[in-house]
Amino acid sequence: MANLSSHGVLLVAAGSILWGSSGIAGQYILQGQGISPEWLTFFRLFVAGSLLLLISHLMGKGIVSVWKSSAERLRLIIFGCLGMLGTQYCYFACIKVSNAAAATVLEYIMPVLIIMWYCMREKRLPRGKEVFCAVFAIVGTVLIATAGDLTSLALPPEALFWGLLSAFACALYTISPVGLILKYSAPVVGWGMFLGSLVLMPVTLMTTFTGVVDTNTLLAFAYVVVFGTILSFVFYLGGVAYVSPSRGSIISALEPVSSVIFSFLLFSMTFGMYELTGMALIIIATVVAGIK
């Protein structure tokens, strides 16, 4: 059992690091090659969703089963059109006007939002640990946004807007499909991505395509789809089969850490003391939120 647990930890860690690194590839496509968030999000969701559904079908999973129940259909539509699409688009929009590290860390306010949601649903006050997480997340966000100077913003206002919106969408993305994923596994995520791409398609077609499409762009996009989406999801789900969901959420804090490290290594980005402190506070809040 210990070997299986170690195997699970490695899988979850690999999935989280791939998620974090995909944001770096996305930053290269958005900023280096000038592709718009609309086009990148649409292609990512459409290609990754189609491939996940095809792989699930070839593996003998019933990809149409989730559509048989009206209640499950509604949850799947909410998951795809609001949770999945909202998370992906807002995340890339934040990267476009800032950077992958900031966008990933801001998105990781999500566990605190989930705690707040359950407090409201259960009609109770937050517990001590939940207050701790909320305070750390809020202070961390303020430090990242202001770099310690409360009279000005270190991040562009639109970056803060998209980053916080991606956290809300990610909370919905996490909460809404729990029962469906336990029941149907990969096809739920595949359908969520595919539905999200269909909703975004009209907006994308009305947005003039700009940017450079060359070998580097295609390789970066392939990395986002294959490694940052499909394999990261497969690794993460495979890992949480051997470790508890709470441990999985703790290990997934490697995503913002890896995003910061890759930003430094690949883009030579540096962060001040206040920004690094803010990132650390949000990561600590994420880890504590995952401890039962």
Side-chain angles (χ1 to χ4, degrees):
M1 183 61 69
N3 289 335
L4 288 178
S5 178
S6 300
H7 181 66
V9 169
L10 290 175
L11 285 175
V12 173
S16 301
I17 292 171
L18 287 176
W19 273 326
S21 63
S22 73
I24 303 300
Q27 180 175 333
Y28 171 76
I29 295 171
L30 293 164
Q31 296 183 0
Q33 303 298 82
I35 308 295
S36 71
E38 291 81 9
W39 281 96
L40 177 56
T41 305
F42 168 74
F43 280 123
R44 179 185 194 179
L45 292 178
F46 181 79
V47 175
S50 300
L51 287 175
L52 269 177
L53 289 174
L54 176 61
I55 292 169
S56 298
H57 175 69
L58 294 176
M59 293 177 63
K61 298 182 182 294
I63 63 174
V64 298
S65 301
V66 68
W67 292 102
K68 294 180 180 179
S69 164
S70 58
E72 290 180 338
R73 281 200 301 270
L74 179 60
R75 290 179 64 190
L76 181 59
I77 291 171
I78 292 173
F79 167 61
C81 299
L82 297 179
M84 179 68 75
L85 174 57
T87 298
Q88 299 293 327
Y89 178 76
C90 294
Y91 177 62
F92 281 140
C94 184
I95 291 176
K96 180 72 173 180
V97 294
S98 59
N99 58 75
T104 305
V105 173
L106 287 174
E107 188 180 63
Y108 259 69
I109 300 170
M110 170 266 296
V112 177
L113 299 176
I114 293 175
I115 288 173
M116 293 170 60
W117 161 253
Y118 279 111
C119 287
M120 290 188 291
R121 195 181 73 168
E122 297 168 6
K123 297 179 180 178
R124 62 174 176 82
L125 293 174
R127 302 185 180 99
K129 182 186 76 172
E130 295 167 343
V131 173
F132 171 89
C133 293
V135 170
F136 267 48
I138 292 170
V139 173
T141 303
V142 171
L143 288 176
I144 293 171
T146 65
D149 183 1
L150 299 180
T151 63
S152 63
L153 285 176
L155 282 178
E158 57 267 34
L160 193 59
F161 170 79
W162 288 118
L164 294 177
L165 198 59
S166 73
F168 277 96
C170 194
L172 177 63
Y173 162 92
T174 303
I175 294 171
S176 60
V178 171
L180 293 179
I181 289 179
L182 289 175
K183 186 175 180 179
Y184 299 105
S185 189
V188 174
V189 177
W191 279 118
M193 292 178 177
F194 188 76
L195 288 173
S197 71
L198 293 183
V199 172
L200 187 60
M201 184 185 294
V203 178
T204 304
L205 293 177
M206 289 187 294
T207 304
T208 303
F209 182 85
T210 58
V212 178
V213 179
D214 56 15
T215 302
N216 290 335
T217 304
L218 295 177
L219 288 174
F221 178 73
Y223 185 89
V224 168
V225 171
V226 177
F227 292 92
T229 306
I230 296 176
L231 286 182
S232 64
F233 169 73
V234 171
F235 286 165
Y236 186 84
L237 271 191
V240 296
Y242 302 114
V243 299
S244 66
S246 60
R247 287 189 69 193
S249 66
I250 294 171
I251 299 165
S252 69
L254 283 171
E255 180 182 349
V257 174
S258 67
S259 185
V260 172
I261 293 173
F262 285 127
S263 292
F264 172 75
L265 293 176
L266 298 179
F267 293 120
S268 300
M269 290 188 62
T270 57
F271 303 91
M273 179 185 69
Y274 289 107
E275 290 98 324
L276 290 174
T277 301
M279 293 176 182
L281 291 177
I282 291 177
I283 293 169
I284 291 170
T286 302
V287 171
V288 173
I291 301 175
K292 290 190 176 180

